[in-house]
Amino acid sequence: MKFTKMQGLGNDYLYVFAAALPPHVAALTKRLSNRHFGAGADGMIFILPSDRADFMMRIFNADGSEAEMCGNATRCVGKYARDHGIVNKDVIRLETAAGIKIIRLLFEAGEVCGATVDMGEPVLAPDRIPVLVAPALTEGEDPQRFIARPVEVGGRTYAITAVSMGNPHAVVFMDGIDDLDLPKLGPKFEHHPIFPKRTNTEFVEVASSDKIRMR
């Protein structure tokens, strides 16, 4: 099969343009995404026909599970579609599991040099992220938000803010993000019981009044 490997801010996927999903797509994705015995990737992106938009994107993680949305992958899809002649537009409508997303291509000397995507407004309601909220809230907590709440992960308590941009995210503002062992810590966040559909996790350190660093 033919695929194109692309990365956006380090999110690397294998991109396939096809009329339909291949059989056994989960097993195929796991095999090809393996960084030692496959092509190596965060997963696979399938660009498919759509009756609601210019085309559709289906995302499969390296473990074979399907994801709703990825902003970096969406931008790569926009460039792929224009470079391969799938569309001849500067603004693209893309169907995703998180709804229709609008991609705006950026050009330099007539070539696509980048893209932006309108991810929509962030979802903060716990039941829509989803994140499970403990029934006993501390005084002053908003039951309709999950902001800087203390959660124990791997024997340490983190202040987690839960948000969805089409898929769940756990955001942790803290110091010392360079010292974190992400390959070990990340899966503990991803599979924490408060996230029934798992989660992406971002660790954020405020560097100055106008700059933040993220892992």
Side-chain angles (χ1 to χ4, degrees):
M1 66 183 299
K2 294 182 179 180
F3 61 80
T4 299
K5 182 169 178 176
M6 304 176 72
Q7 63 85 16
L9 291 176
N11 269 155
D12 62 334
Y13 288 93
L14 309 179
Y15 293 79
V16 177
F17 178 56
L21 287 177
H24 312 297
V25 63
L28 175 69
T29 299
K30 290 177 67 174
R31 180 179 178 184
L32 288 181
S33 298
N34 188 292
R35 295 195 181 275
H36 300 288
F37 299 102
D42 289 330
M44 295 189 71
I45 306 289
F46 292 89
I47 303 170
L48 306 165
S50 169
D51 55 8
R52 301 176 54 213
D54 292 310
F55 44 88
M56 176 195 301
M57 173 179 74
R58 296 279 297 272
I59 306 174
F60 292 87
N61 297 315
D63 64 1
S65 62
E66 186 168 4
E68 299 96 329
M69 183 60 190
C70 174
N72 288 326
T74 300
R75 296 186 301 111
C76 287
V77 164
K79 175 173 171 57
Y80 181 103
R82 180 62 182 256
D83 286 353
H84 288 76
I86 301 171
V87 296
N88 187 26
K89 299 179 177 181
D90 299 349
V91 179
I92 299 170
R93 288 170 51 83
L94 177 66
E95 180 182 352
T96 76
I100 303 292
K101 302 300 178 184
I102 306 300
I103 307 169
R104 289 176 170 82
L105 301 179
L106 308 175
F107 294 86
E108 188 174 286
E111 299 289 331
V112 178
C113 64
T116 64
V117 56
D118 184 351
M119 299 286 286
E121 294 186 6
V123 174
L124 299 175
D127 61 335
R128 292 177 56 204
I129 294 173
V131 58
L132 303 181
V133 180
L137 299 174
T138 61
E139 185 177 355
E141 276 190 335
D142 182 352
Q144 300 305 313
R145 300 288 186 269
F146 198 102
I147 298 177
R149 294 196 181 187
V151 178
E152 184 175 325
V153 182
R156 176 177 173 180
T157 299
Y158 298 86
I160 294 179
T161 294
V163 60
S164 173
M165 295 302 302
N167 54 349
H169 287 259
V171 183
V172 180
F173 282 87
M174 61 180 296
D175 294 325
I177 63 174
D178 290 330
D179 299 327
L180 297 174
D181 185 355
L182 290 194
K184 181 180 295 185
L185 183 60
K188 294 180 180 179
F189 274 81
E190 179 186 5
H191 297 282
H192 196 284
I194 67 170
F195 292 104
K197 292 189 175 181
R198 299 161 52 183
T199 188
N200 298 276
T201 307
E202 290 82 31
F203 298 93
V204 185
E205 186 168 2
V206 177
S208 66
S209 61
D210 62 354
K211 182 179 179 180
I212 61 174
R213 298 176 58 248
M214 183 188 76
R215 295 184 68 194

